[in-house]
Amino acid sequence: SSSSSSYSSASTQLPDRFAESKALAAHYLKDNIDGVQVIAEHSDQTTQQFVTKQAESIAEFIDELVQRVKPSLGKAELENELKATIAAQLNRRSPAGLHSEKTEADMFNSAVRFLKWLCPGSDSTFSKTNEKHVYPCFAELINFVAELVVRPLKDQKPASLDEQPKRLVRSYILNNAKSDKAEDKHYINMALKCDTLNYITGDNAEYDEDSYLISEACLKANDEWSDERPNYPCIFAVVEVESKSSEGAMLKGFSQLVEYSKDVYRNQHNRHFIWGLVSGGSEVKACVLGQNFLLASKFMDVTSTAGRLELIRFLVNWSFCELPKLGYDPTIRYNYKHECFAIDMVNSNEQMPTQTTYYLREVVVIAERVFGRHTRCFVVGRQPPSLDENSDNSGDILIKDAWPEVSGSAEDDMRDEAKLLKRVSNGLAGRSEFNGLYPKYINGGRMQIQNAHGDSVDETTRTILGETVWAQLGDLPLRAHMRIAMSGVGEPLESVQSIYELVVVIYDVMRCHMGILKHCQILHRDISEANILVRRDDTGVHGMLIDFDHSIDITDEGYAVRTEGAGTRPFMSINNLEDNSTKRTALDDWESIIYILCWLGTFGWNRATQPSGSVSKMAITSWNDYDEMMNAEAKRSNIHSPENFIGITKRFNPNIPHISAFKKFVNGLRAVLINNHDDPDMRGAIFDKNIISEESDIDELLGDEYMARPDPFVERAAHWESISTSLLARLETYAM
């Protein structure tokens, strides 16, 4: 059975920098999962049977070496036994004479090291609870298995491609690695890398592109892979060794996997999920870190025959399986001919879906978090850069790649961003006043993969993990791989050069927002600084509203209660933070605009507008609180009255030019939203709640003086159209 609750209170010794990763690991962990191995298995059953036999054969070889380690043997006798066993096994696996004495010597030296770990008590100087001792032994075992996987290929090519590994999984460790070394949070003790077959065999022949896609990421990196400092674009999996297998020690290992995986995602833009290995003493767990899960297998004890076999199966499966099984996306690949990355897109808006390939110009949004949507954005062109440098369509398309939560099939999912964006594009077509203020849909939707039966199915977390694993994950929300191509490319909000430009951009965005709501019946629901872009043309500066993956169709019955994941924490409306039943309207997004303006006024929008002093004690920092109810409570208090709100605006950065006028502008927007209403029930943000205790007198509670004041957010929601009109007019006054 899976469990994460036992890890939440486990005591661990971790640096402060790991605090967030530890909390995330405890939250997303699903431990002791059956069938994690299946995720890495080849989808072709016949091929997988061959791979399993390979793993069993290698495990038997290593078992034979383990059996040779006996306390009664002297050092020289043991060395002779091991050398004889290795020579016999190599002769059995390939025609005599094809392997060299050097190969035998290298494998002997490797075996001597990892047998210390596999055979407790064989070396009095070795301690499996000493991380520094275990790392090199673990690495040697992995590389020993890799040598046996590739040995038939080095001796003679297999007759069938199905019997040929696609890659070799090798380990790299830091010299003299210590678990407590350095303040560098990106310090990794050990990692796995995939070597390609032409690199291993020295063959210059062209192999299937998938087989060397991974190494190409290393080729394009600024610095090369080395044993001294693993290169994040090259890392296939992270390995962590802990001194013991207690809950606290293993949570520390999981936390470190989470911390280091952030940089793997940052550097590998074609990565769906990441593999990891965590060892506690002699027990190892294989881990998968994905969009909303951290899966850990059951323990594999390397001192036992069964445990070794299971670990070896992982290593061999990783060498033979298809690229998606490793967590890579084969639809984002390097094009050698044109020396650029190519991204495939399915034209799902056609009756007969076809594939279009776009060519990368720039990565503008990277996936910086281990868990979540893994949103990435690429500026692309219709032709490789080398062919259209002077073309008008060079880099004029944006591709968004993400893993949002979904409900059911694409046809039934009311939150499908591709459908919503297509509807926006159609609904605003011909309305020139909105041109350039929103991205226009070109094509795309849910990505698909082939299942074991050769059928095309939606690529989701369920299809990636398989039914055996998925059935153990309870009510884990389903996520689907979405890729959308759209026209319209802008610059980040940090490119605005003045307060005036900022106001113009915000006005354009909210003008577009209200136009989409009016003409397309779509409410955005995620107004944040990341979703506001800046465009410049001959007429000046303009804003652009992007990212519709939190949007909802207001004609959908019951849309008002769909509050899950709506917004970016510092800018989320109070209703969404509280996840209450108040009807969601445009006022929630207007509220977000006010929070954004306060945030930018305090912290700035680029380096030139950042404050010089400490901001840690400012009241506004509570808007980023992970406790959403505390966040909401703080916001209710901050915006309730002009006097309270001054506590926020008075801390605006005084070094920003025209900041006084900006304060007046923001105070005015808050007044229109919160206070400028004839009905007193619509004013403010705080309301009284009846608190009924066991000692309360029911007759008193029925009295008028005990009636709770209604929530002003509920009262204002009924008048959202008139209030929104007033807010837009206020913005227009400052923007014109």
Side-chain angles (χ1 to χ4, degrees), residues 68 70-83:
R68 295 291 181 270
K70 300 175 182 178
S72 59
L73 293 178
K75 181 178 179 181
E77 289 178 294
L78 177 58
E79 287 182 359
N80 290 333
E81 288 275 352
L82 293 178
K83 287 177 180 178

Side-chain angles (χ1 to χ4, degrees), residues 31 221 258 480 489:
D31 198 23
V258 171
V489 177

Side-chain angles (χ1 to χ4, degrees), residues 220-343:
K220 301 304 294 181
N222 292 328
D223 52 316
E224 296 180 357
W225 174 281
S226 71
D227 291 356
E228 295 296 326
R229 179 68 62 176
N231 182 303
Y232 281 99
C234 305
I235 289 176
F236 155 63
V238 178
V239 182
E240 280 298 324
V241 172
E242 300 302 328
S243 59
K244 51 188 176 181
S245 58
S246 65
E247 289 182 358
M250 294 305 290
L251 179 58
K252 178 184 175 185
F254 297 142
S255 303
Q256 289 173 307
L257 284 189
V258 171
E259 181 70 21
Y260 300 137
S261 293
K262 294 175 185 176
D263 281 307
V264 177
Y265 278 120
R266 286 188 186 108
N267 286 275
Q268 297 182 18
H269 309 305
N270 61 340
R271 204 69 192 265
H272 289 338
F273 61 88
I274 297 171
W275 285 96
L277 293 171
V278 177
S279 166
S282 62
E283 296 182 303
V284 181
K285 284 179 179 280
C287 302
V288 182
L289 296 90
Q291 294 76 10
N292 54 352
F293 53 82
L294 194 176
L295 308 183
S297 71
K298 294 184 176 180
F299 276 122
M300 299 174 281
D301 188 347
V302 297
T303 65
S304 72
T305 299
R308 285 194 297 273
L309 173 59
E310 195 68 10
L311 177 58
I312 290 167
R313 284 185 61 205
F314 272 107
L315 299 174
V316 178
N317 280 335
W318 288 336
S319 297
F320 281 85
C321 69
E322 303 96 323
L323 202 63
K325 299 275 190 171
L326 298 181
Y328 290 90
D329 183 352
T331 65
I332 301 178
R333 65 198 183 284
Y334 190 73
N335 185 300
Y336 285 90
K337 180 179 179 181
H338 298 294
E339 298 184 329
C340 67
F341 278 89
I343 303 175

Side-chain angles (χ1 to χ4, degrees), residues 444-465:
R446 288 196 192 180
M447 297 293 287
Q448 294 198 319
I449 57 174
Q450 283 193 329
N451 61 17
H453 306 292
D455 301 321
S456 293
V457 296
D458 287 346
E459 187 174 21
T460 66
T461 44
R462 183 172 185 167
T463 56
I464 283 176
L465 299 177

Side-chain angles (χ1 to χ4, degrees), residues 682-727:
M682 291 173 59
R683 299 180 201 145
I686 299 175
F687 68 107
D688 300 322
K689 298 178 181 178
N690 273 328
I691 302 176
I692 302 177
S693 65
E694 293 181 1
E695 293 79 18
S696 299
D697 187 290
I698 191 65
D699 293 327
E700 289 183 341
L701 289 173
L702 293 176
D704 290 342
E705 65 272 26
Y706 286 93
M707 293 299 291
R709 180 197 174 201
D711 186 347
F713 286 93
V714 175
E715 301 301 305
R716 286 193 292 267
H719 303 273
W720 70 266
E721 290 182 90
S722 61
I723 298 173
S724 296
T725 300
S726 298
L727 285 162

Side-chain angles (χ1 to χ4, degrees), residues 52-292:
T52 300
K53 289 180 180 178
Q54 287 289 98
E56 291 171 348
S57 174
I58 293 171
E60 289 172 2
F61 183 175
I62 294 176
D63 286 345
E64 191 173 348
L65 293 174
V66 170
Q67 292 166 11
R68 295 291 181 270
V69 181
K70 300 175 182 178
S72 59
L73 293 178
K75 181 178 179 181
E77 289 178 294
L78 177 58
E79 287 182 359
N80 290 333
E81 288 275 352
L82 293 178
K83 287 177 180 178
T85 302
I86 290 171
Q89 282 282 355
L90 290 178
N91 286 331
R92 190 184 310 161
R93 291 166 182 274
S94 60
L98 286 182
H99 63 270
S100 65
E101 291 184 5
K102 183 179 184 304
T103 300
E104 291 186 23
D106 289 344
M107 295 191 75
F108 166 76
N109 291 330
S110 182
V112 167
R113 294 187 185 99
F114 70 70
L115 286 171
K116 296 177 182 179
W117 186 36
L118 272 52
C119 304
S122 62
D123 185 339
S124 60
T125 66
F126 175 83
S127 171
K128 69 177 183 179
T129 61
N130 186 316
E131 297 171 21
K132 187 178 178 181
H133 286 183
V134 173
Y135 271 115
C137 298
F138 202 163
E140 291 292 353
L141 176 62
I142 293 169
N143 291 339
F144 190 89
V145 172
E147 178 64 29
L148 292 175
V149 168
V150 80
R151 176 52 41 197
L153 191 61
K154 285 184 173 181
D155 292 343
Q156 59 179 9
K157 294 286 181 68
S160 169
L161 286 176
D162 293 336
E163 298 178 3
Q164 176 175 296
K166 289 183 169 64
R167 63 198 71 84
L168 263 295
V169 178
R170 297 184 184 272
S171 63
Y172 291 81
I173 63 173
L174 294 172
N175 294 331
N176 302 315
K178 294 182 180 179
S179 61
D180 60 349
K181 181 179 179 180
E183 267 75 72
D184 179 7
K185 72 175 182 178
H186 305 298
Y187 179 87
I188 292 182
N189 291 311
M190 180 172 166
L192 305 186
K193 171 179 173 281
C194 293
D195 285 335
T196 59
L197 299 189
N198 50 351
Y199 169 78
I200 296 163
T201 63
D203 190 346
N204 292 323
E206 288 292 328
Y207 285 87
D208 177 18
E209 192 165 329
D210 282 0
S211 69
Y212 50 78
L213 170 63
I214 305 166
S215 290
E216 182 52 36
C218 306
L219 247 150
K220 301 304 294 181
N222 292 328
D223 52 316
E224 296 180 357
W225 174 281
S226 71
D227 291 356
E228 295 296 326
R229 179 68 62 176
N231 182 303
Y232 281 99
C234 305
I235 289 176
F236 155 63
V238 178
V239 182
E240 280 298 324
V241 172
E242 300 302 328
S243 59
K244 51 188 176 181
S245 58
S246 65
E247 289 182 358
M250 294 305 290
L251 179 58
K252 178 184 175 185
F254 297 142
S255 303
Q256 289 173 307
L257 284 189
V258 171
E259 181 70 21
Y260 300 137
S261 293
K262 294 175 185 176
D263 281 307
V264 177
Y265 278 120
R266 286 188 186 108
N267 286 275
Q268 297 182 18
H269 309 305
N270 61 340
R271 204 69 192 265
H272 289 338
F273 61 88
I274 297 171
W275 285 96
L277 293 171
V278 177
S279 166
S282 62
E283 296 182 303
V284 181
K285 284 179 179 280
C287 302
V288 182
L289 296 90
Q291 294 76 10
N292 54 352

Side-chain angles (χ1 to χ4, degrees), residues 507-567:
Y507 170 63
D508 278 347
V509 162
M510 293 311 292
R511 180 163 61 90
C512 180
H513 173 280
M514 296 306 296
I516 291 171
L517 186 57
K518 177 180 179 181
H519 300 293
C520 311
Q521 290 75 53
I522 291 173
L523 182 63
H524 191 277
R525 293 207 315 165
D526 187 15
I527 304 295
S528 69
E529 58 179 340
N531 294 335
I532 298 173
L533 296 184
V534 180
R535 284 193 319 102
R536 297 180 187 277
D537 58 24
D538 295 340
T539 63
V541 66
H542 306 279
M544 176 185 286
L545 179 62
I546 64 168
D547 199 348
F548 291 81
D549 57 1
H550 282 297
S551 301
I552 50 175
D553 178 356
I554 65 171
T555 65
D556 173 32
E557 185 176 350
Y559 82 90
V561 298
R562 291 183 177 169
T563 60
E564 66 280 5

